[in-house]
Amino acid sequence: MNLAWAIAGAAIGLPLGAVARSTVFQLSVPSGAPDRSACPRCCAPVPSWPALRCGYCGSSFGRPGVLELVTAAVLALLLGRFGDSPQAIPFAFLGVLGVVLAAIDISVQRLPDRLVLPAFPLLISLLSLTAWLEHDGAGLARAVLGCLALGAGFLVLALLRPGQLGGGDIKLAGLVGLAVGWLGWPAVMTTAVLGFSLSAVISLALLAARRVSLSSAVCFGPFLLGGALIATLVAGH
Ligand SMILES: [Zn+2]
């Protein structure tokens, strides 16, 4: 762990986390509904961007500090892991996007296509740039294969057990597969195993605490992203 880069990651993560909180607030709407444009408390129009606080009644959008700290922690871990390697850029991009996606999935159980789909060409471009800078064409090929493997794996699981995994989870698996595929097959396997294990453990804990019932939908995105983060931190590359 590179301490100087970890501190830099935390410092960059705090303001990016505020941007993440604004994005999460605006996009945490049911499928097909328009973005939130009014304050939930007083219905005044939301300031254009970043939407962090109502200009009329002063109430905060989202809990201040939470996403800021989570984003800072994720970037501290990733930049500490990769240091000054060009690999830090694609992984930091997916790290910040992952915080936004996990928060939206927790609040409204969906992973908006508007965020996930454009991330594919962006992440592929960043990985291509990394492959070029590091002279690692094989890494890029692994990334594409990781994307196909994880996406196809989740598609098969979704077909076998309808209702457990949604289309958003399959697309996110493909996106995450790009990044962990870059790191190699052990990281792809670790991501899948950790995603399902974390999901099972937390779901059982929530059931035991009677926070959810057997029939309630529990989002999967945060566990997949959490598994990918851990796999990225422990992968040897
Ligand atoms: Zn207000």
Side-chain angles (χ1 to χ4, degrees):
M1 184 64 68
N2 183 320
L3 192 60
W5 276 101
I7 293 168
I12 301 165
L14 284 174
L16 280 178
V19 173
R21 176 153 68 86
S22 160
T23 311
V24 170
F25 168 75
Q26 289 176 308
L27 298 189
S28 289
V29 291
S31 180
D35 296 353
R36 277 156 111 174
S37 58
C39 168
R41 205 167 116 190
C42 73
C43 295
V46 164
S48 54
W49 192 85
L52 294 172
R53 168 180 297 280
C54 175
Y56 196 75
C57 73
S59 65
S60 298
F61 301 146
R63 198 168 296 167
V66 176
L67 286 188
E68 284 87 336
L69 287 177
V70 172
T71 311
V74 167
L75 281 193
L77 289 169
L78 288 173
L79 264 60
R81 152 88 167 87
F82 290 110
D84 59 2
S85 157
Q87 299 174 81
I89 299 167
F91 280 90
F93 162 69
L94 187 58
V96 175
L97 179 68
V99 171
V100 171
L101 289 172
I104 295 176
D105 202 8
I106 288 169
S107 69
V108 290
Q109 279 81 51
R110 55 188 291 259
L111 296 157
D113 279 349
R114 270 171 61 192
L115 293 179
V116 176
L117 296 184
F120 276 90
L122 255 167
L123 189 56
I124 291 171
S125 308
L126 292 173
L127 288 170
S128 305
L129 180 69
T130 310
W132 179 64
L133 289 170
E134 298 224 312
H135 308 289
D136 189 359
L140 191 59
R142 274 198 314 271
V144 173
L145 290 176
C147 165
L148 295 174
L150 218 49
F154 271 65
L155 177 64
V156 170
L157 286 173
L159 292 173
L160 289 177
R161 300 180 66 190
Q164 298 272 316
L165 293 169
D169 296 317
I170 300 166
K171 286 171 247 178
L172 181 64
L175 186 69
V176 161
L178 272 175
V180 290
W182 169 273
L183 297 172
W185 291 111
V188 176
M189 291 305 296
T190 309
T191 299
V193 170
L194 279 177
F196 285 105
S197 319
L198 290 171
S199 163
V201 169
I202 305 279
S203 300
L204 283 176
L206 289 174
L207 267 177
R210 296 179 192 279
R211 294 288 298 272
V212 296
S213 69
L214 267 179
S215 58
S216 44
V218 177
C219 53
F220 190 74
F223 303 112
L224 179 60
L225 289 159
L229 178 63
I230 298 171
T232 300
L233 295 175
V234 300
H237 185 72

